[in-house]
C-alpha cells in the first residue's frame, strides 16, 4: 500500500537514524537538509503542506552543525534533523500567521519554547506548515495558503488543525513535525496520514500560546498542548525527550521524570472499542482486537472498560471552551471566511456561552472528571481506543445544510480526543493498518506524566502493524 521508493535517500530516514548518521559522520547535516529541500520541491506542490519554506536558514543551521562536528563539539541526539512547525507556533524571524491575513506580517522575535528545545537537541526547522484559520475548523485550509491535501487521497481530509505537519511528515518533507492538540489536532492528522503523534500531559511540555502578547484565558491555558509528529514511535520518543521538562518561559511546565516507576505486575489495558456508541468500522474494530492480542502476547493484561461520564465530559469541554470563545467571537469572526466561521457558529448554537457562575461550576466538574479518570487508571494504567472509529472523512466535513444536531453527530467520532484534552492525560496515536484503503490508527491513553508507558505499548503495536509511511502523494 505504501509507495515509498526503493532507493534510500536521507529524507526517507527517521529522525533517530538521521541524528545518529550525522553524529557518526556518515551523513552531513547539509546533505540531510538538501535532501529534504529537494523532497519538498518534488512533492509539496501536490499536497500544499509546507507554507513558509526556511531554506536558507536551514542550510545555515546545517553548516553550523557540520562545523561543530568537525571541531569535535558535542551534538544533540537530533543533530541535523529537519522539522516543520505549525503556523501558530513561533519561529524567530518568521511570521506566526495563524493562517489569516491579520497576522501575515506578525514576525516572531524569538522561538516558542518547543522550537527552542528541538533546536537545542540539534534539530533544524525547515518550514512552517499549514493549518486551519486560527485553528478553528477540523481541516487544514487557510486563507493565506489554501488547502492541504491528504497524500493518500486528495478528496479526503488531512486532519485538523495541524494537518500541514501531519502531511509533511507522512510524505518525507520533514522527519518531525510540531503541532498542537486541544481535542485531536495532532492525533487526527497523524491518524489520517498514517504517522505517529503525541498529545502530552498538561504541563509536560513548555509552550507559549499568546497572540500579540495577550495571555490566554483559563480554558485555553488548561486544554491546548503542543505535540510532535513522527513516522515511528522511536522518533516520537526522541522528540518527547527533547521537548519535556520545566522551562522558565512557561510556569505550567513541570520537571516530571521521563520515565516513571517500573510496574511490579503486568499492566492492565482497558479497551474501549466504541466509546461514544456510534458504531465502529469493521476494519478499525478488527485492528483493535489485533492490538489487544498483541499486547497480551507482550505481557499486558487486557479487559474492556467504559470511559467515565463521557457525555458529561463532552458537555464540560464544550461549555468551558465556548464560554470563553463566545466573549471574543464577534471580533474573531471578522478574521474568518463565512465557511470558516460556520463550525464555531454551530458549536455556539449547540453550546451557548454561559454566565460566570456556570463557567466556574464547570471548572469543578472538570476536577471531578479528573478524579474519576485517575481512579480508573489506577487499575487500568493504559486505555486503548480507536483514534477515530470511522474511516478518513471527506474534505468538507460540514456543509451549508449542517444543523446543530448534525454537527453534534459529526463531532462524536472525536469524543475521546476531546475528553482526554479536557482531562489533561497523555495519548499516543499509532498507525494500525488501513480502513477502506486509507490509514487508520489507535491511540493509547495513559496516566498523567506516564507518556513512557504509552510509548512502550505503542512500540508493541507498531511491531504488530508496521509503519505506513513515507508515501508518495497519489494523484
Amino acid at each position: 500500500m505504501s509507495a515509498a521508493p526503493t532507493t534510500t535517500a536521507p529524507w526517507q530516514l527517521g529522525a533517530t537514524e538521521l541524528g545518529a548518521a550525522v553524529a557518526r559522520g556518515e551523513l552531513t547535516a547539509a546533505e540531510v537538509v538538501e535532501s529534504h529541500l529537494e523532497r519538498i520541491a518534488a512533492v509539496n506542490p501536490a499536497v500544499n503542506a509546507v507554507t513558509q519554506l526556511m531554506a536558507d536558514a536551514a542550510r545555515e543551521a546545517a553548516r553550523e552543525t557540520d562545523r561543530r562536528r568537525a571541531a569535535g563539539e558535542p551534538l544533540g541526539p537530533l543533530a541535523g534533523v529537519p522539522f516543520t512547525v505549525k503556523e501558530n507556533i513561533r519561529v524567530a524571524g518568521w511570521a506566526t500567521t495563524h493562517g489569516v491575513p491579520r497576522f501575515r506580517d506578525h514576525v516572531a522575535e524569538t522561538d516558542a519554547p518547543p522550537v527552542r528545545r528541538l533546536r537545542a537537541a540539534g534539530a533544524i526547522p525547515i518550514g512552517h506548515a499549514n493549518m486551519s484559520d486560527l485553528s478553528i475548523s477540523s481541516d487544514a485550509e487557510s486563507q493565506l495558503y489554501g488547502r492541504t491535501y491528504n497524500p493518500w487521497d486528495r478528496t479526503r481530509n488531512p486532519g485538523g488543525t495541524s494537518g500541514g505537519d501531519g502531511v509533511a511528515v507522512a510524505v518525507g518533507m520533514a522527519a518531525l513535525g510540531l503541532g498542537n492538540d486541544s481535542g485531536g489536532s495532532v492525533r487526527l492528522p497523524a491518524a489520517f496520514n498514517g504517522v505517529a503523534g503525541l498529545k502530552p500531559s498538561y504541563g509536560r511540555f513548555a509552550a507559549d500560546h499568546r497572540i500579540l502578547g495577550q495571555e490566554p484565558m483559563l480554558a485555553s491555558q488548561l486544554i491546548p498542548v503542543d505535540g510532535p509528529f513522527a513516522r515511528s514511535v522511536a522518533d516520537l520518543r526522541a522528540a518527547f525527550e527533547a521537548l519535556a521538562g520545566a522551562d522558565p518561559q512557561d510556569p505550567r511546565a513541570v520537571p516530571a521524570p521521563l520515565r516513571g516507576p517500573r510496574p511490579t505486575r503486568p499492566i492492565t489495558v482497558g479497551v474501549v472499542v466504541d466509546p461514544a456508541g456510534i458504531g465502529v468500522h469493521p476494519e478499525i474494530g478488527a485492528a483493535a482486537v489485533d492490538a489487544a492480542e498483541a499486547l497480551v502476547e507482550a505481557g499486558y493484561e487486557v479487559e474492556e472498560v467504559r470511559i467515565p461520564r463521557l457525555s458529561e465530559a463532552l458537555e464540560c469541554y464544550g461549555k468551558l471552551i465556548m464560554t470563553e470563545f463566545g466573549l471574543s467571537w464577534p471580533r474573531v469572526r471578522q478574521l474568518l471566511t463565512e465557511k470558516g466561521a460556520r463550525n464555531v457558529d454551530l458549536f455556539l448554537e449547540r453550546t451557548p456561552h454561559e454566565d460566570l457562575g456556570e463557567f466556574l461550576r464547570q471548572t469543578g466538574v472538570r476536577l471531578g472528571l479528573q478524579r474519576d479518570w485517575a481512579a480508573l487508571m489506577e487499575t487500568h494504567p493504559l486505555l486503548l481506543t480507536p483514534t477515530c472509529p470511522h474511516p478518513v472523512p471527506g474534505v468538507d466535513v460540514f456543509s451549508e445544510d449542517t444543523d446543530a444536531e448534525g454537527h453534534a453527530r459529526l463531532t462524536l467520532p472525536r469524543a475521546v480526543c476531546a475528553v482526554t484534552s479536557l482531562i489533561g492525560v497523555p495519548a499516543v496515536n499509532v498507525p494500525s493498518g488501513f480502513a477502506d484503503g486509507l490509514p487508520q490508527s489507535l491511540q493509547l491513553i495513559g496516566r498523567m506524566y506516564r507518556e513512557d508507558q504509552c510509548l512502550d505499548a505503542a512500540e508493541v503495536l507498531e511491531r504488530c502493524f508496521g509503519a505506513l509511511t513515507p508515501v508518495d502523494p497519489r494523484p
Side-chain angles (χ1 to χ4, degrees):
M1 184 64 70
S2 176
T6 56
T7 57
T8 301
W11 66 262
Q12 294 174 260
L13 299 176
T16 51
E17 293 175 294
L18 289 170
V22 169
R24 292 192 298 262
E26 297 167 2
L27 286 171
T28 65
E31 290 172 330
V32 172
V33 164
E34 286 303 325
S35 178
H36 285 80
L37 290 173
E38 290 169 6
R39 182 64 174 170
I40 292 170
V43 301
N44 197 52
V47 295
N48 192 37
V50 174
T51 50
Q52 301 180 68
L53 183 62
M54 304 168 183
D56 290 343
R59 289 184 175 113
E60 177 58 32
R63 285 193 291 270
E64 174 62 15
T65 298
D66 292 334
R67 182 203 65 76
R68 292 183 60 202
R69 185 187 182 281
E73 298 177 21
L75 300 179
L78 298 175
V81 174
F83 68 101
T84 56
V85 183
K86 189 175 180 179
E87 278 279 338
N88 66 357
I89 299 175
R90 296 195 319 271
V91 179
W94 297 88
T96 314
T97 71
H98 300 265
V100 298
R102 169 67 176 82
F103 301 111
R104 184 199 308 267
D105 301 318
H106 184 46
V107 176
E109 296 182 0
T110 59
D111 288 333
V115 174
R116 175 169 46 78
R117 292 182 80 96
L118 287 174
R119 283 196 205 257
I124 296 173
I126 202 166
H128 266 307
N130 204 17
M131 57 180 276
S132 62
D133 290 350
L134 300 177
S135 286
I136 283 176
S137 79
S138 55
D139 202 343
E141 181 180 15
S142 66
Q143 293 176 58
L144 286 181
Y145 303 109
R147 178 175 296 284
T148 293
Y149 294 94
N150 189 311
W152 297 90
D153 183 339
R154 287 172 62 86
T155 70
R156 300 299 183 98
N157 199 308
T161 59
S162 310
D165 290 280
V167 171
V169 172
V171 299
M173 293 192 289
L176 298 172
L178 181 63
N180 30 61
D181 191 313
S182 58
S185 289
V186 166
R187 288 164 287 171
L188 290 169
F192 293 173
N193 293 288
V195 299
L198 167 64
K199 185 206 88 67
S201 306
Y202 169 78
R204 170 61 88 173
F205 297 165
D208 186 348
H209 297 150
R210 288 176 291 180
I211 300 178
L212 298 179
Q214 182 174 340
E215 298 285 3
M217 291 184 285
L218 182 61
S220 298
Q221 296 170 28
L222 297 177
I223 295 174
V225 292
D226 293 345
F229 295 84
R231 290 194 296 274
S232 73
V233 177
D235 289 352
L236 202 62
R237 190 188 297 273
F240 159 68
E241 292 175 353
L243 290 165
D247 191 296
Q249 290 192 15
D250 186 354
R252 300 168 299 172
V254 299
L258 297 178
R259 295 195 69 92
R262 295 183 64 86
T264 57
R265 59 179 300 275
I267 292 174
T268 301
V269 181
V271 179
V272 193
V273 177
D274 186 11
I278 57 175
V280 177
H281 187 276
E283 290 177 288
I284 297 175
V289 172
D290 291 342
E293 292 175 352
L295 289 168
V296 170
E297 291 178 4
Y300 293 82
E301 296 180 353
V302 171
E303 59 186 41
E304 291 190 18
V305 298
R306 294 176 61 88
I307 298 291
R309 300 164 60 189
L310 181 62
S311 295
E312 190 176 358
L314 289 173
E315 181 182 45
C316 178
Y317 175 85
K319 285 185 175 181
L320 289 177
I321 290 178
M322 287 299 109
T323 297
E324 288 189 356
F325 222 92
L327 297 174
S328 58
W329 180 231
R331 183 176 69 256
V332 172
R333 200 181 197 283
Q334 299 174 17
L335 304 179
L336 302 174
T337 64
E338 281 301 312
K339 179 181 177 182
R342 180 66 175 154
N343 186 41
V344 176
D345 285 338
L346 289 167
F347 260 120
L348 286 170
E349 186 177 341
R350 287 169 48 201
T351 311
H353 65 274
E354 304 287 348
D355 59 22
L356 176 61
E358 178 60 16
F359 180 86
L360 293 175
R361 189 183 79 81
Q362 290 297 328
T363 64
V365 171
R366 175 179 177 270
L367 180 58
L369 290 164
Q370 289 178 308
R371 292 185 198 280
D372 288 351
W373 272 74
L376 171 63
M377 303 196 86
E378 183 68 20
T379 56
H380 299 78
L382 289 172
L383 302 181
L384 171 70
T385 185
T387 305
C388 181
H390 299 160
V392 181
V395 167
D396 292 315
V397 179
F398 309 116
S399 70
E400 294 181 0
D401 298 327
T402 302
D403 58 14
E405 184 178 343
H407 185 266
R409 288 195 303 270
L410 290 167
T411 55
L412 270 177
R414 303 196 295 274
V416 174
C417 288
V419 171
T420 47
S421 289
L422 174 72
I423 302 301
V425 291
V428 170
N429 176 87
V430 58
S432 53
F434 297 90
D436 285 356
L438 295 167
Q440 58 129 321
S441 290
L442 301 168
Q443 60 178 321
L444 288 150
I445 301 161
R447 294 176 291 180
M448 290 293 287
Y449 309 116
R450 292 312 305 263
E451 288 87 352
D452 59 316
Q453 292 184 332
C454 297
L455 291 163
D456 290 345
E459 287 181 339
V460 173
L461 301 193
E462 186 177 66
R463 290 194 294 271
C464 173
F465 294 106
L468 308 185
T469 55
V471 61
D472 285 329
R474 293 177 175 179

